[in-house]
Amino acid sequence: MMDQEKISQLSDIAKAMVAPGKGILAADESMNTVGKRFASINLENTEDNRRAFREMLLTAPGEEQYISGVILFDETIRQRTSGGKSFVEVLRAGGILPGIKVDQGLVSFNGSEVEKITKGLDGLGDRLKEYVALGAKFAKWRAVITISDSTPTPENIVQNTADLAQYALLCQQAGLVPMVEPEVLLDGNHSLQKSTEVLEQTLISLIAELKKAGVALEGTILKSSMAISGKNSGVKDTPAQVAEATIGVFKKVLPKELAGVVFLSGGQSELQATENLNAMHQLGQLPWPVTFSYARALQDGATKTWKGNPDNLLAAQRVFLHRAKMNSLASQGKYQPDMEQGFSAAAGGAATQD
Ligand code: 13P
């Protein structure tokens, strides 16, 4: 059991992460995933280019109006801007909370061709201590749940959610707010109903495992996917359909004590991710703060504008700030499509994230 003082410190951090009108930038792509993003703009995947890319995003002036926290990758939490300031200092100066991805990617589950579990529990306690010393205030662990004709299996859901709970407990013991991310993948041709059912099963198991492990929910942030038809289903759900299905599950299974929910974008386009979040807030007052923690849906347009060319830095930051502002408005149900005028947000979803 954690003492009350520790829980209240975690709860304060968690509340700041989901403060009204703000959300989280996920900038924690692995080297491999950054490589895919860079390939789309013909940029070499070098340490210096990754540093410049993160500098573009993390130094956009005024982003603290919309962004409460940034999830960093291990390399980035140790890097400095071209001006010599550590990225952690840059974020702190803007009152933005530094976070860190602590999982170590996916491996096959029980020899399955389809299902995965997440690596990274070995030695995690020691790594968390180091990240705290480097200035991290919260952490992220991503598990994936795959929908196909034969999956997800109940065993895979239990293993993934039990690992998320173990990670969450270690985080809280180290003084970090755990962001627990069981991502139900968008890939596949499944229906909205199937996605909704799998989201529900996954979250029921997650909450049960968190409680069993003694994780304090008031110091925990859920990072969830939305209930949405599969990418290859040929069906485009309306924002109202996505919102009703997703919030319907949340209201059924999430306890009130949970500090907040943030969404991943999961391959939705920038506009779709904003519209869907906005629609959640058209449903009236929600029992928890609900906001964004997007990677692709915050970065795509800015990345394409930047292209690795320093001359495009300010234009790229403008695109990024616009997207952040649109999502900030969506997190309050105040977004309208005509606010996009003058900006061409990326319409198509990007390749996979890890
Ligand atoms: P996407 O928004 O690109 O899905 O990434 C969010 C994330 O952090 C996935 O772990």
Side-chain angles (χ1 to χ4, degrees):
M1 267 313 226
M2 242 157 317
D3 64 69
Q4 212 40 55
E5 196 186 320
K6 201 161 195 176
I7 294 178
S8 117
Q9 285 167 0
L10 292 167
S11 161
D12 287 348
I13 297 170
K15 279 189 189 129
M17 289 166 70
V18 290
K22 294 190 185 183
I24 290 167
L25 166 66
D28 60 328
E29 295 86 353
S30 65
M31 309 270 187
N32 201 7
T33 303
V34 177
K36 289 182 207 160
R37 305 285 181 273
F38 283 6
S40 73
I41 53 169
N42 271 324
L43 188 66
E44 211 188 326
N45 189 7
T46 63
E47 178 175 352
D48 206 46
N49 284 339
R50 290 191 296 272
R51 191 201 51 69
F53 176 55
R54 264 64 189 251
E55 182 163 346
M56 181 270 287
L57 295 168
L58 272 48
T59 63
E63 69 184 16
E64 64 277 6
Q65 298 165 78
Y66 319 117
I67 303 287
S68 58
V70 177
I71 317 172
L72 302 169
F73 188 65
D74 180 76
E75 176 182 74
T76 326
I77 201 169
R78 303 166 196 279
Q79 274 174 326
R80 291 174 179 272
T81 64
S82 44
K85 270 198 184 158
S86 81
F87 282 129
V88 172
E89 279 173 61
V90 169
L91 293 178
R92 269 211 212 112
I96 297 177
L97 297 162
I100 181 76
K101 170 192 176 80
V102 301
D103 69 72
Q104 297 181 319
L106 305 171
V107 286
S108 163
F109 171 62
N110 278 348
S112 165
E113 305 254 309
V114 183
E115 293 195 302
K116 306 262 195 277
I117 50 166
T118 304
K119 283 186 298 184
L121 284 173
D122 283 351
L124 181 57
D126 287 340
R127 288 196 290 127
L128 295 181
K129 276 188 207 141
E130 191 194 0
Y131 289 135
V132 169
L134 287 168
K137 297 291 175 201
F138 69 97
K140 175 189 117 173
W141 176 285
R142 172 178 180 255
V144 300
I145 304 293
T146 311
I147 302 180
S148 72
D149 290 344
S150 55
T151 65
T153 59
E155 295 77 17
N156 184 250
I157 292 182
V158 169
Q159 180 74 57
N160 271 317
T161 53
D163 288 353
L164 277 164
Q166 254 201 70
Y167 137 84
L169 186 66
L170 287 169
C171 282
Q172 291 193 334
Q173 286 166 344
L176 291 166
V177 168
M179 184 184 268
V180 289
E181 181 181 16
E183 174 174 358
V184 179
L185 294 174
L186 193 60
D187 308 298
N189 56 9
H190 51 270
S191 63
L192 172 59
Q193 191 191 338
K194 180 73 185 173
S195 166
T196 308
E197 284 165 16
V198 173
L199 181 65
E200 180 173 333
Q201 289 158 5
T202 303
L203 294 182
I204 287 174
S205 179
L206 177 67
I207 297 299
E209 293 293 341
L210 290 172
K211 285 186 175 166
K212 195 159 86 185
V215 174
L217 294 177
E218 56 271 59
T220 301
I221 299 288
L222 168 65
K223 178 157 178 165
S224 182
S225 40
M226 298 180 190
I228 191 165
S229 295
K231 204 155 67 183
N232 305 321
S233 65
V235 176
K236 186 153 187 278
D237 311 308
T238 64
Q241 286 172 320
V242 173
E244 270 162 37
T246 307
I247 296 297
V249 171
F250 289 177
K251 285 192 171 161
K252 221 156 130 187
V253 306
L254 298 182
K256 296 244 178 332
E257 308 86 85
L258 187 68
V261 186
V262 297
F263 286 110
L264 58 101
S265 55
Q268 297 183 44
S269 71
E270 294 188 330
L271 292 182
Q272 224 185 339
T274 304
E275 285 168 359
N276 287 342
L277 176 62
N278 191 60
M280 314 259 177
H281 289 280
Q282 309 278 297
L283 298 175
Q285 184 74 34
L286 302 173
W288 333 258
V290 172
T291 186
F292 59 92
S293 173
Y294 299 151
R296 285 164 284 180
L298 276 170
Q299 299 181 25
D300 280 354
T303 307
K304 287 185 183 111
T305 305
W306 178 60
K307 295 192 190 80
N309 181 346
D311 294 346
N312 298 334
L313 178 69
L314 295 182
Q317 290 184 328
R318 243 182 94 237
V319 172
F320 171 64
L321 288 170
H322 170 73
R323 208 65 252 132
K325 183 176 179 183
M326 294 301 100
N327 284 304
S328 159
L329 290 165
S331 74
Q332 306 165 76
K334 295 179 181 165
Y335 168 78
Q336 280 162 10
D338 65 7
M339 294 169 171
E340 302 287 354
Q341 265 164 31
F343 287 87
S344 56
T352 50
Q353 155 91 5
D354 68 33

